[in-house]
Each structure stands twice: as C-alpha cells, then as structure tokens.
Amino acid sequence: MTMYYLGVDLGGTNIKAALVDEQGQILQEASRPTNLPRPAEAVCDDIAALCRELTAGRTVGGIGVGCPGTVDDRTGRVLYSNNLAWADFAMGDYLQAATGLPVRLANDANAAALGEALVGCAKGTDSAVILTLGTGVGGGVVLGGRLLTGYTGAASEPGHMVICDTPDAPLCTCGRRGDLEAYASATALIRMTREAMQAHPESGLWKLADPDTVEGRTVFDARDAGDPVAREVVEAYIHWLAVGIANLINIFYPEVVGLSGGVANQGEALLAPLRAQVEPMVFGAAYADKKTRLVSCTLGYRAGVIGAALLAAQ
Amino acid sequence: MTMYYLGVDLGGTNIKAALVDEQGQILQEASRPTNLPRPAEAVCDDIAALCRELTAGRTVGGIGVGCPGTVDDRTGRVLYSNNLAWADFAMGDYLQAATGLPVRLANDANAAALGEALVGCAKGTDSAVILTLGTGVGGGVVLGGRLLTGYTGAASEPGHMVICDTPDAPLCTCGRRGDLEAYASATALIRMTREAMQAHPESGLWKLADPDTVEGRTVFDARDAGDPVAREVVEAYIHWLAVGIANLINIFYPEVVGLSGGVANQGEALLAPLRAQVEPMVFGAAYADKKTRLVSCTLGYRAGVIGAALLAAQ
C-alpha cells in the first residue's frame, strides 16, 4: 500500500500544501491565504482543513510543516517567527490534535533544502548545502539524508556568517555588518546596483531601470548589454557569493551546493563565473580527487512542500 | 569480554599510540620518533610495531589513526600530507596487512575533536565543534557522535573560513587573506603582539619579551600586568575569535564549542570575555531557549590517541 505524506509551506502571505508520495512526487496541491494578523490557532485550523481536503480518504503517514522562523522539531514548538508574529507556540501538538496525524516541523528554508537534497538538485548525494538568494540568504544543510538542525533547532543560518568584519561593511537586518546576507541576497544585489547608478550617471543601467524599479536581474541585463558599470557590480556580487560558498565548502565539503531564489534564475550566467571564483578558494583543492558540484536548484517554489512532506516521512 | 582499540596520533615529530577501552580510558601508551623523511611504509611498519607492543595478548577490535593532512576514511587513503610529505598513500590497506586489524583514518584535528566530543569537554552531548588554536586553527565537528568529514573526507577546515575579506587582511599560509587562522591562531596572536610592540616602544610588552621571544601567552601576561597596549591586542584577538565562533554557531548551533591548543590554556581569562562577545553575535539569540556552551577542552594532548581509538570502535 502506498503511503502518502502532507507537506505544508507556511508563509506570511499564503499557506501552500501538497499531498506527496514517498518518492517526493506531488499528487495534489492546495493553498489558502494566511490572512495575517490572526492567532496561531486559527492559522493551524486552516492548515488542518487543507490537510483534510488533500487527504480525501487516502492513507497519510504524517504532516510536515515548513515555518518561517526558529522551530524546534524535537519539541514541536515554533520558538519565534517574526513573519507570523508567533512566539513559543506548540504548533506540533495543536496540529496533531486537530488532524490526528504525527507532525514534524522545520524552518521553511530547511524544509526546502531537504526537498532539494532528497529529490531535487542533490538527489542521490550524501551531503548538500542549499542557499536561497532572495530577500535574505536562507540556507539548509542535509547530511546523510537528514537536516542539520543543531542543539536548538536553529542551526543552518549561513546567511548570518560574517565574511567581511569591518566597520564600514553593509548592515544586515540581523543587526550585524558584513554577513553573507548583506552581500549575496537579492536585496544586497539591488542595493549594490542602486549605489552604482548613483555613482555613475552615465551607466547603461539607467536605460533599464530607475533606482526605484531596480530588480535583481537588472544588473545582469545591463551587463549583457555591455555596460561596464554593471559588469563591475556583477563581478563584485559573484566575488562575495563565492567567498561565502567557499567558506561553506571548507566547513562541510558537501557533494553539492545548490542555489535557489530569484538571483539563481540567472543559471549558468551566474554559476560558471561563480565556479571559477570558488574553486581556488577551496582549501586543499589541488589535492582533492572529488569536487563539490555547484548547481541550480530544480524544484522551484515546490521545494518547500515536498521537503516538508519528506520530513514527515522520516 | 572487554574490547580494546588502538589509537595512533601520527605527527611530524612523534608517533604516539595508546591502548584504549570502549569508554575512552587509556590502559597503556607508547611513542616513537617519526624520523622523517622516510617512506610512508617505514613509518607504518613502526606504527604496526607500536600496536603489537601495546596489544600484548589482549583482544583488540581495530586501529584508528589521526594523520596530519587530508585523508579519506572511506577508501583508507591519505590523499595529501604536507607534514609527512605523503601523497595518495593507501595507509589503511598497508596497516591492515601489517597488523591483521581493521583500520580507520581521520585527520589529526578531527581525531582529537572526536575524543573531546565523546569523552572530553563535550561528553554526553549530541553536537560539538572543537577548535585548536595552535600554529594554525584546526577543527573538527562531531554530530550525533560521528565526525563530519564531507564528500572527500576533507571537511571541517573552519580555520580557512574567511571572516574579513579585504585586500589588507593578514595572509594565511593557505594563500588567502582574512581567514580565521590568520586572526585566531597562536601564530596570529604572536604576530599581532609583535606589531603592537613595534608600534608602541613604550609598551610594557617589552619588559616581558623581545619580538623574537614573544609567545602566545606574552600578551595575556602583559595585559594582566596592566599594559594598555597589551589589553588592546587581547581585545582584538578575542573579537576575531568571537566572529569565527559565532559564524560556526550560526551554521551548526552545536551544544558545545570546545577550545584547545596553547592559547586555550588561558582558561576563563579567555573564555569569559569571549562568551560576552559571542553571545550577541548569535543569530536569534534573544529567542533561543538553549545556548551553546563555550568551554576548554579537557583531554590535552591525549585527545588525539583517544579519539582515534574511539573512531576504530565505531
């Protein structure tokens, strides 16, 4: 008998859910607006309703939920979520009582990383580090098929690894300067693009956007159109991202580093120069018989629900 | 019947070996000079002789060896060791043929970290990061009782995590600038002390040492004697070490971070200000119900042989 699992990706805007089989294939999807602000219990009631809707008489082994914020899967508690405005909520117990199913929790970036590691860009490997280059830099580490969650459940925040500890380094929303998120998020790329525009009124960047309408892709488009200012920004961005990735390779030496999020949509235009920068930064690279593969993630926005469901299957 | 294991700590100067029980207790120790340069096989013949000497009729389950350099425990090969001048040597096979015992290999810093994690400063915990502050910054990560070794066996080189990527950051022997080793090794502390002496002929540091005789402890001694220049150096050193440790906590959130090596002999004089610096650098520290403990290692130079033996027992 095939066993199915429910994966939930709880976001500040939408609750996405999917019925997933043990191979990570989605059978059916559903979603509802999160409708914040409202009590955690009300959000969980909607999650339970989505789960019942998707189950529809099938045999379901459990529910996995990816949540923004800090969760402790061992206790089933959301310790803190800025996006949801939750603090120390016993989500696992509440959802288990509402559905009668066992519940597993993960940070949302971690759930997505588990999906990519098990059935996406790192399928079949023993170790993967997944970085999401979006508003922030999210991350997840999967070793031997299991998420690295640490003592508190809050492990795997590579975005808050400082790579340039100087007083004038850019400030991160976490309050510190010079961490990977301050250099390699889409937000950071947009900030660097804007700064270059202000400094270079002659730049071709102005043909593609105003400072207010700059997106992550703008500087890549201007670079492709031959603008030297844009080329410098892209090179600086790739350098910082390479420093962060090389640090993670020197720490984990994973089989795969996978990139997701808006900036990663550049594909090989980003990956090829990135690999060239990362490689000489890897300690002992000259003697290694095997190299970490640096690739794009493959599951897109579905990584979260798939990873959450596969967590429930563990 | 009690099972014993042999642990070997292979250094550039000495081969240390011990017979160890499953609880990590040493029954007997022995050592010989490594006598480099000589062929890898000759060194292994001496290791085998030491092992026979220590076995003396007891039931031994296997041999673990900690080697300087990059090893791949899955294939039993030393991929590269600068200290030993070995490249791609099948040490596991050779030593197994010479002794008739199964052989496990680890990097020497990793072997010591495993010892500290299992029976030393992090005994009874589920996750530990061990840093050795010596000539370089060595490290090992133990998760769920197992060493993190990565895809190639070369994982856990936190010393080569860049924390200050600027063109004028200090140069590491690995060829890159601004990594943790360039800021937090004993070598780096001595360099910083010398620089402060040159810049401050009035400093009390000159009463304790010449630039040629500076040791890691010199600047701590001068600080304790009230020298303001020494206080600044100690504060800078602790700051850089804190940045590196906080990065590792943000990545692993381990239950324990243990420090060993000469600088760590300062004990609480180092640890107390270090904890105060690290704590606010930890992402989400305000919401964490549990904190990483920052402690001194407890096994001293025996960590290597004990950890190697316990690796053989796994």
Side-chain angles (χ1 to χ4, degrees):
Chain A
M1 189 179 63
T2 310
M3 184 68 94
Y4 300 96
Y5 298 89
L6 290 156
V8 179
D9 186 359
L10 174 54
T13 308
N14 287 301
I15 307 165
K16 287 177 278 188
L19 186 74
V20 176
D21 69 15
E22 283 163 298
Q23 281 71 48
Q25 291 295 316
I26 290 180
L27 276 82
Q28 210 176 323
E29 293 175 278
S31 76
R32 293 191 182 191
T34 316
N35 274 337
L36 296 176
R38 55 179 179 147
E41 291 80 1
V43 172
C44 284
D45 290 342
D46 272 8
I47 292 176
L50 271 175
C51 287
R52 276 188 294 272
E53 181 184 324
L54 287 167
T55 299
R58 294 189 191 82
T59 308
V60 170
I63 303 174
V65 186
C67 290
T70 305
V71 306
D72 189 339
D73 187 30
R74 278 159 290 199
T75 60
R77 302 185 85 85
V78 178
L79 300 179
Y80 180 73
S81 172
N82 186 51
N83 289 22
L84 302 170
W86 293 3
D88 200 22
F89 173 59
M91 188 179 196
D93 286 347
Y94 189 92
L95 208 51
Q96 179 153 359
T99 61
L101 290 169
V103 176
R104 298 288 304 274
L105 301 183
N107 166 273
D108 54 356
N110 280 359
L114 186 64
E116 290 290 346
L118 296 180
V119 299
C121 71
K123 184 177 177 176
T125 70
D126 194 58
S127 51
V129 173
I130 307 295
L131 292 178
T132 305
L133 312 172
T135 308
V137 172
V141 178
V142 181
L143 303 170
R146 303 276 161 166
L147 275 170
L148 172 67
T149 54
Y151 183 39
T152 62
S156 299
E157 290 287 355
H160 302 290
M161 166 178 66
V162 167
I163 59 172
C164 189
D165 183 58
T166 59
D168 57 348
L171 189 65
C172 179
T173 54
C174 76
R176 297 178 71 206
R177 289 185 184 276
D179 66 12
L180 185 59
E181 182 160 313
Y183 284 110
S185 60
T187 312
L189 181 58
I190 290 167
R191 182 197 71 236
M192 285 165 8
T193 306
R194 282 187 188 135
E195 286 168 0
M197 289 173 79
Q198 305 296 358
H200 296 277
E202 81 288 3
S203 161
L205 280 162
W206 290 96
K207 290 183 210 153
L208 299 181
D210 295 321
D212 287 350
T213 59
V214 167
E215 296 176 277
R217 58 179 297 171
T218 308
V219 72
F220 284 95
D221 292 344
R223 193 267 317 256
D224 294 346
D227 181 55
V229 173
R231 194 176 60 229
E232 262 185 49
V233 173
V234 167
E235 280 172 8
Y237 176 81
I238 288 175
H239 170 77
W240 293 114
L241 180 56
V243 170
I245 290 171
N247 277 358
L248 293 168
I249 294 175
N250 289 341
I251 290 168
F252 290 104
Y253 224 122
E255 194 164 342
V256 165
V257 170
L259 301 183
S260 71
V263 184
N265 291 337
Q266 294 295 324
E268 283 300 311
L270 174 69
L271 292 171
L274 194 56
R275 288 188 198 104
Q277 288 253 354
V278 166
E279 200 166 308
M281 295 179 179
V282 172
F283 184 75
Y287 313 108
D289 53 344
K290 295 179 284 190
K291 283 176 189 159
T292 298
R293 279 188 293 127
L294 184 50
V295 300
S296 292
C297 287
T298 58
L299 303 179
Y301 73 89
R302 289 188 172 90
V305 290
I306 294 171
L310 294 174
L311 177 66
Q314 289 190 335
Chain B
M1 188 181 64
T2 309
M3 183 69 93
Y4 299 97
Y5 297 90
L6 291 155
V8 179
D9 186 359
L10 174 56
T13 309
N14 287 300
I15 307 167
K16 286 176 281 189
L19 186 74
V20 176
D21 69 16
E22 283 164 297
Q23 282 71 48
Q25 291 295 316
I26 291 181
L27 275 81
Q28 211 176 323
E29 293 175 276
S31 77
R32 293 191 182 193
T34 315
N35 275 337
L36 297 176
R38 55 178 178 150
E41 290 80 2
V43 172
C44 285
D45 291 342
D46 271 7
I47 292 174
L50 271 175
C51 287
R52 275 189 295 272
E53 180 185 324
L54 287 168
T55 299
R58 294 190 191 82
T59 308
V60 169
I63 302 173
V65 186
C67 290
T70 304
V71 306
D72 189 339
D73 187 31
R74 277 157 292 198
T75 59
R77 302 185 85 84
V78 177
L79 300 178
Y80 180 72
S81 172
N82 186 50
N83 289 22
L84 303 170
W86 293 2
D88 200 23
F89 173 59
M91 187 180 198
D93 286 348
Y94 189 92
L95 208 51
Q96 178 153 0
T99 61
L101 290 170
V103 175
R104 298 287 302 274
L105 302 183
N107 165 273
D108 53 357
N110 280 358
L114 186 65
E116 290 289 348
L118 296 180
V119 298
C121 71
K123 185 178 175 175
T125 70
D126 194 57
S127 50
V129 173
I130 307 294
L131 292 179
T132 305
L133 311 172
T135 308
V137 173
V141 178
V142 181
L143 303 171
R146 303 275 160 167
L147 275 171
L148 172 67
T149 55
Y151 183 39
T152 62
S156 299
E157 290 288 354
H160 303 289
M161 166 178 66
V162 167
I163 59 172
C164 189
D165 183 57
T166 60
D168 56 348
L171 190 64
C172 179
T173 54
C174 76
R176 297 179 71 206
R177 288 184 184 275
D179 65 12
L180 184 59
E181 182 159 310
Y183 283 110
S185 59
T187 313
L189 180 59
I190 290 167
R191 183 197 71 236
M192 284 157 39
T193 306
R194 281 186 187 136
E195 287 168 359
M197 289 174 79
Q198 306 296 357
H200 296 278
E202 81 288 3
S203 162
L205 280 162
W206 290 97
K207 292 183 209 153
L208 299 181
D210 295 323
D212 286 350
T213 60
V214 167
E215 296 177 276
R217 57 179 297 171
T218 308
V219 72
F220 284 95
D221 292 345
R223 193 266 316 254
D224 293 345
D227 181 55
V229 172
R231 194 177 62 229
E232 261 185 50
V233 173
V234 168
E235 280 172 10
Y237 176 81
I238 289 176
H239 170 77
W240 293 114
L241 179 56
V243 170
I245 290 172
N247 277 359
L248 293 168
I249 294 176
N250 288 342
I251 290 167
F252 290 105
Y253 224 122
E255 195 164 341
V256 165
V257 170
L259 302 183
S260 71
V263 184
N265 291 337
Q266 294 295 325
E268 284 300 311
L270 174 71
L271 291 170
L274 193 56
R275 288 188 198 106
Q277 288 254 356
V278 166
E279 199 166 308
M281 295 178 178
V282 172
F283 184 74
Y287 312 108
D289 53 344
K290 295 179 285 189
K291 283 175 190 160
T292 299
R293 278 190 293 127
L294 184 51
V295 300
S296 293
C297 287
T298 59
L299 302 179
Y301 73 89
R302 291 187 172 90
V305 289
I306 294 171
L310 293 175
L311 177 67
Q314 289 189 335

